Amino acid sequence: MSEEVEERKRKRVKYEVKFSDGWLSNPLFKDFLQKKKDGDKYVPYCAKCKVNISLGKSAIVRHMECKSHQEAKKRFQEVGKSQSSIQSFCRSTSSDAISKMEIKLCSFLAENNLPLSLSDDLVALLKSLFPNDDTLKGVTLGKQKATNTVRQTLGFYYMKENIDILKSRKFSIIIDETTDSSTQSQMAVLATYFDEINFRMSLIFVDLISMPDGKADTIYNTVLQCFKDKNIPMKNIIGVCADTCNVMFGAHHSVAQLLVKNHPWIITIKCSCHLIHLCASHASKILPKSIEDLCRNVYSYFRLSSQRCDAFKEFQDFLNLDQHQMLMAGQTRWLSMKMCVDRLLEQYEALKLYFRGAALEDPSHTNDAIAKSLNNVFTQAYLEFMSYNLGRLTSFNTLFQSEIPLLHQLKGEVTKLISGLIGDFMDLSYVRQMDPLKIDVSLEGHHVPLDKVYTGIKATCTIQSIVADLGSDHPDVKLFQMHCKGFLVECVKQIQSRFSNLDQLDFLKCLEPRVANNLSIPSLGLIFKQLPYLDSVAAAQAADTEWGEQAMLHPTLNETMSVYDYWKTLFQLKDGQGNVMFPNLRKIVPVLLSLPFSNAAVERVFSQLKLIKNDHRSCLKQESLLGLLVTKFSLKQQGKMQAAQMDPSKTMLQLHSKMKSNADDAEVAELRKTFLAQQESQ
């Protein structure tokens, strides 16, 4: 019997429970169960409760159902949600940082007239320089994406900013046409207004439009459609400036006539720089043509020959002259002749020696003509006369190419210029009695004798030495004096004719400190009557009251100050409660200062256009070109190096995230209209 018991004990085998890998894949356990080594065996481990579980499936089930595990599971769910939101935020923040970097890189390319195709190499260079920058790793800016960013992000955003400004204030427009490197006719539309906050003239690039032709009706309708598409009311436009061609300002069916006919409050102003250029060009016809031919022939002779330039340097060194090159006189800008003439005078003796030999070695018609002209004793006198008088006209031109408001000074500057010219050939006692703008310069009874006509100090010294050799009665001396007098007479006539409508700008006298501070204009009533749109800008009576009060602020303000300093100081004054003292004048004066005086600004646009759309990028799409120009001018208005300092806004980032790839010009234009309409509704 005992043997049977012993046999049973030997047959009983104690089975040891081991960890089953199948538990880890069980849907009930996989969220918390882990396999953990405990000594020389593996046991179940709860990752949520941080405790070991007894071996056995039933033990794991009991642990899963216990209260402590359920509470731990709930805590893990809450932590999981917060981690998910943190990860989502980090991904969003990282995405925004990448978008900002891409936008700033595109702004840099636009600001510096660099090709958009450079974006690939630029990003690759930056990644090689900063390999550990996490944001830079996510930047993918190829040529196509850079183009889309300029067209659909920067262009859209800055266009929207500009339109918002123009909808809220009075402004003037400057328009002009040009033909780019692809022979495409383009019309640029710019808006200018006086920013009373920063106290400076601001320039806004409105649009660049392809033109089918240059007819007056086409230009007029294009301008109207441009502002209609942008929902900018025409009543906000107070002035228009353009060049002096017949299409713009002709007496019969011009753009200016159409604008005034349908929008009578708009003041049309011819470009002062173009006008004075035309005056110089017409007056120069009185002088011998050989002088202009000399300037152009000398430049053409040296232009494409390095051998001739090197040979001429020897003559410059011999006479201890600076090794300057000859300058070209512009075909369409006659005032550029001033620099050409000055360079000829500087190198005159070297040129005489050089062409004396050139005419012997190569007796061509051009070389003979140049040598003959240089050896003519009167040529230097003519050049010195031209240098003196073209300098006057060029100074006037330079003044009205500036970016500060100057229309209120136009009449005074024209009067001063005419007075200086008249004083050279008319009796001073008579001139002082007459209005320079209305004086009749053809009355020879009031002219000084020919030998008393003032030609400038250098020309006078030269002609005196010639008179000493040839005598005062020599016919060539008389001819020189007649030519000089004829130039001055014709120049005055041209200026009087082309600036004949300056009286319409008399209301701008109120901006001058001597008028405002002395109340030379006792009331602003006539100005409100002449410019009825001022009623929508400020209260007439309140503004008139403030006009009288500002004159009582002496000596804080006085008539010796400049227009800029006078009104800037006035607008900064505040009362005892910290409020602006002259709120209505603060609204009216900027409107008057917003009137244009030249189209130099639009000429600068064309200069930028030639830099952007050159021979290597002649196929640049219209919308890309528009985006680049809008971005460049907007950045310029904000200050230099804005691509490095800009902080892309939320709207800009949203536009960047919604860019449509491979959109053509028509689609981009439609997207812009949709975007502007959405912004308008919001």
Side-chain angles (χ1 to χ4, degrees), residues 5 46 52-53 101 124 127 136 160 186 262 356 395 453 459 488 496 548 610 652 658-659 680:
V5 173
C46 179
N52 293 338
I53 306 174
M101 186 172 289
K127 287 183 177 181
L136 193 56
K160 187 256 179 186
Q186 307 268 18
N262 299 303
R356 187 175 298 168
S395 298
V453 174
L488 296 171
Q496 289 176 334
K610 291 178 181 179
M652 199 177 286
K658 296 178 181 179
M659 284 191 310
E680 182 75 16

Side-chain angles (χ1 to χ4, degrees), residues 434-478:
M434 305 296 293
D435 180 0
L437 291 170
K438 298 179 181 179
I439 193 170
D440 187 358
V441 293
S442 61
L443 298 176
E444 295 190 3
H446 297 287
H447 290 188
V448 298
L450 273 180
D451 59 344
K452 300 297 182 182
V453 174
Y454 184 67
T455 58
I457 186 170
K458 291 184 178 180
T460 300
C461 293
T462 301
I463 204 65
Q464 284 177 352
S465 64
I466 295 174
V467 169
D469 294 336
L470 302 179
S472 59
D473 294 331
H474 193 280
D476 288 341
V477 173
K478 295 293 184 182

Side-chain angles (χ1 to χ4, degrees), residues 220-407:
Y220 172 72
N221 292 327
T222 301
V223 171
L224 260 60
Q225 191 63 41
C226 171
F227 288 98
K228 182 179 179 181
D229 290 343
K230 297 172 177 56
N231 293 320
I232 301 174
M234 287 295 292
K235 66 180 182 181
N236 283 8
I237 302 176
I238 60 173
V240 176
C241 186
D243 61 18
T244 57
C245 64
N246 285 331
V247 171
M248 292 294 183
F249 284 96
H252 305 287
H253 198 71
S254 61
V255 176
Q257 286 184 332
L258 292 171
L259 280 168
V260 174
K261 178 181 177 181
N262 299 303
H263 309 89
W265 63 87
I266 293 179
I267 298 176
T268 57
I269 301 169
K270 296 180 181 180
C271 173
S272 303
C273 297
H274 279 79
L275 290 175
I276 208 67
H277 150 71
L278 292 173
C279 295
S281 182
H282 281 78
S284 67
K285 296 177 182 179
I286 305 297
L287 301 176
K289 193 173 185 301
S290 60
I291 305 301
E292 183 178 348
D293 290 341
L294 174 66
C295 296
R296 301 190 188 280
N297 290 338
V298 169
Y299 170 77
S300 299
Y301 180 86
F302 290 106
R303 183 169 67 97
L304 297 177
S305 177
S306 60
Q307 185 177 4
R308 291 173 178 176
C309 292
D310 291 338
F312 182 59
K313 288 178 182 178
E314 296 180 7
F315 290 85
Q316 292 174 315
D317 292 337
F318 177 73
L319 295 173
N320 295 321
L321 298 174
D322 293 329
Q323 292 185 357
H324 291 158
Q325 295 182 350
M326 295 299 103
L327 299 177
M328 180 182 69
Q331 294 288 340
T332 59
R333 290 292 179 271
W334 211 87
L335 286 174
S336 63
M337 185 67 74
K338 159 69 170 148
M339 293 183 290
C340 181
V341 167
D342 288 345
R343 183 57 52 84
L344 275 178
L345 288 171
E346 176 192 288
Q347 305 290 332
Y348 197 80
E349 293 302 324
L351 288 169
K352 283 176 64 176
L353 291 176
Y354 177 85
F355 279 101
R356 187 175 298 168
L360 294 175
E361 295 175 4
D362 182 17
S364 64
H365 175 75
T366 302
N367 288 356
D368 289 343
I370 294 174
K372 181 180 179 181
S373 183
L374 289 172
N375 290 321
N376 188 331
V377 292
F378 290 94
T379 298
Q380 183 174 351
Y382 276 116
L383 291 173
E384 289 168 341
F385 171 78
M386 289 176 65
S387 176
Y388 167 62
N389 284 285
L390 290 180
R392 294 165 153 182
L393 304 179
T394 302
S395 298
F396 179 92
N397 195 9
T398 303
L399 174 64
F400 285 93
Q401 287 183 22
S402 62
E403 297 182 356
I404 59 175
L406 289 173
L407 187 61

Side-chain angles (χ1 to χ4, degrees), residues 626-674:
L626 178 60
L628 288 167
L629 285 169
V630 170
T631 301
K632 184 175 180 63
F633 272 81
S634 297
L635 291 173
K636 182 183 177 182
Q637 286 298 305
Q638 297 171 13
K640 294 183 179 179
M641 292 301 294
Q642 281 301 309
Q645 301 170 9
M646 70 179 298
D647 184 18
S649 65
K650 184 178 179 181
T651 303
M652 199 177 286
L653 295 175
Q654 291 174 349
L655 285 169
H656 188 259
S657 65
K658 296 178 181 179
M659 284 191 310
K660 184 176 180 181
S661 61
N662 299 321
D664 58 22
D665 279 10
E667 289 176 305
V668 174
E670 190 62 34
L671 287 170
R672 184 189 299 109
K673 289 183 181 180
T674 303

